[in-house]
């Protein structure tokens, strides 16, 4: 929303205040996507079971949601469970699904307070009926909100999403010549939303892990060693500030070269 919105929530004189003051609100990323990684390592460092890392990760989700909404980011997408994550031990998968249901039940008030619209993206019909019901409830209870769009990627795979979009095109009887990049993008789960300008990955891994493969074609990538349960407002502000220093060329030439008439 604005500098005032974010400063109202930051202790005066704190390092976060200095970071927030450097943000250029004319040049915010419209869509921030985050690969939340490192929950297991965070727990292992503390000799705790992995699930404690996932639980702690929820505090980071809350902090990042509020920071993004107050900054005025249009869309935030968090990668919570991939199509590959079913390979994890059954107990961990069950616990993640339980945490998700509890998250929606407990945090819906917070999401509404910040005027955020919730939705889930992925092969949702393959999730258990109780998880689908919780997601539907989250969507229904926030659909009137007019602020930030919050996508949670669940049973999500970038390749699966592209296959699903192709299936939709075929089902809709689209003629091959009617299909172009714009039309195809509209058939993705994120149809109608801007592509991510900024892709963040925590815990230092340099991979995109099948996340938003089509949509990240021109995203700026920012990787931090910070493990997801330690990720907070200051980290997101650092990411946004670094993003604002990047020269985005989309395959063209440097914008400064353009201004100078340099070829
Ligand atoms: C990756 O860490 C994290 C996940 C697979 C799950 C992310 C889930 C949460 C943050 C909590 C639930 C979120 C919501 C919104 C309810 P990892 O387990 O792969 O960590 P590791 O690489 O250190 O093992």
């Amino acid at each position: 929303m604005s500098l005032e919105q974010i400063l109202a929530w930051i202790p005066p004189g704190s390092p976060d205040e200095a970071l927030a003051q450097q943000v250029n609100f004319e040049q915010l990323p419209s869509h921030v996507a985050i690969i939340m990684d490192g929950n297991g390592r965070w727990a292992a460092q503390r000799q705790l079971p992995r699930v404690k890392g996932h639980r702690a990760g929820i505090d980071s989700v809350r902090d990042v949601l509020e920071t993004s909404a107050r900054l005025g980011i249009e869309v935030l997408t968090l990668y919570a469970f991939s199509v590959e994550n079913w390979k994890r031990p059954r107990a961990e998968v069950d616990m993640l699904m339980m945490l998700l249901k509890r998250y929606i039940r407990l945090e819906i008030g917070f999401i509404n307070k910040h005027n955020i619209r919730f939705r889930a993206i992925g092969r949702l019909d393959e999730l258990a009926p109780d998880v689908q019901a919780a997601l539907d409830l989250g969507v229904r209870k926030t659909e009137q909100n007019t602020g930030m769009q919050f996508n949670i990627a669940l049973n999500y795979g970038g390749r699966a999403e592209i296959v699903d979009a192709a299936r939709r095109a075929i089902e809709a009887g689209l003629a091959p010549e009617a299909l172009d990049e714009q039309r195809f993008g509209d058939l993705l789960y994120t149809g109608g939303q801007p592509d991510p300008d900024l892709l963040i990955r925590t815990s230092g891994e340099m991979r995109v892990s099948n996340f938003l493969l089509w949509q990240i074609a021109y995203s700026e990538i920012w990787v931090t060693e910070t493990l997801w349960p330690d990720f907070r407002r200051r980290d997101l502000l650092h990411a946004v500030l670094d993003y604002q220093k990047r020269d985005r060329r989309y395959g063209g030439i440097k914008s400064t070269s353009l201004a100078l008439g340099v070829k």
Side-chain angles (χ1 to χ4, degrees), residues 36-42 50 53-58 61 78-82 85 88 92 96 99-101 103-104 150 152 203 205 227-228:
M36 308 182 286
D37 196 11
N39 295 352
R41 275 161 283 171
W42 184 93
R50 292 176 58 80
H54 298 315
R55 246 182 236 271
I58 291 182
V61 169
L78 300 183
Y79 201 4
F81 194 87
S82 74
N85 284 155
R88 294 188 176 211
E92 184 175 344
L96 276 167
L99 277 180
L100 174 77
K101 284 188 290 176
Y103 170 79
I104 295 172
F150 168 33
I152 186 157
S203 89
E205 307 290 350
L227 305 176
W228 177 251

Side-chain angles (χ1 to χ4, degrees), residues 172 174-175 178-188 214:
L174 263 179
L179 199 57
D180 56 17
E181 290 184 12
Q182 171 72 45
R183 197 75 197 268
F184 194 77
D186 288 342
L187 294 168
L188 297 169
W214 175 282

Side-chain angles (χ1 to χ4, degrees), residues 92-193:
E92 184 175 344
V93 170
D94 287 350
M95 193 57 87
L96 276 167
M97 294 297 159
M98 192 279 289
L99 277 180
L100 174 77
K101 284 188 290 176
R102 211 173 61 162
Y103 170 79
I104 295 172
R105 189 162 36 86
L106 297 180
E107 305 278 330
I108 213 75
F110 174 86
I111 291 176
N112 275 325
K113 179 176 161 216
H114 292 283
N115 193 23
I116 295 168
R117 268 170 308 150
F118 171 84
R119 69 177 280 217
I121 59 169
R123 286 192 169 160
L124 307 179
D125 54 342
E126 292 173 359
L127 295 168
D130 57 339
V131 175
Q132 291 188 43
L135 295 172
D136 286 345
L137 186 77
V139 172
R140 267 188 287 116
K141 289 207 161 171
T142 64
E143 65 193 355
Q144 304 299 333
N145 294 339
T146 54
M148 187 175 77
Q149 173 73 53
F150 168 33
N151 300 319
I152 186 157
L154 272 175
N155 194 26
Y156 175 89
R159 288 182 174 179
E161 179 180 27
I162 292 169
V163 168
D164 288 351
R167 285 182 180 157
R168 271 191 220 136
I170 294 165
E171 278 161 17
L174 263 179
E177 59 279 10
L179 199 57
D180 56 17
E181 290 184 12
Q182 171 72 45
R183 197 75 197 268
F184 194 77
D186 288 342
L187 294 168
L188 297 169
Y189 307 144
T190 54
Q193 300 178 7

Side-chain angles (χ1 to χ4, degrees), residues 28-47:
L28 283 175
S30 300
H31 183 167
V32 176
I34 308 184
I35 302 175
M36 308 182 286
D37 196 11
N39 295 352
R41 275 161 283 171
W42 184 93
Q45 284 172 0
R46 291 160 179 78
Q47 280 87 46

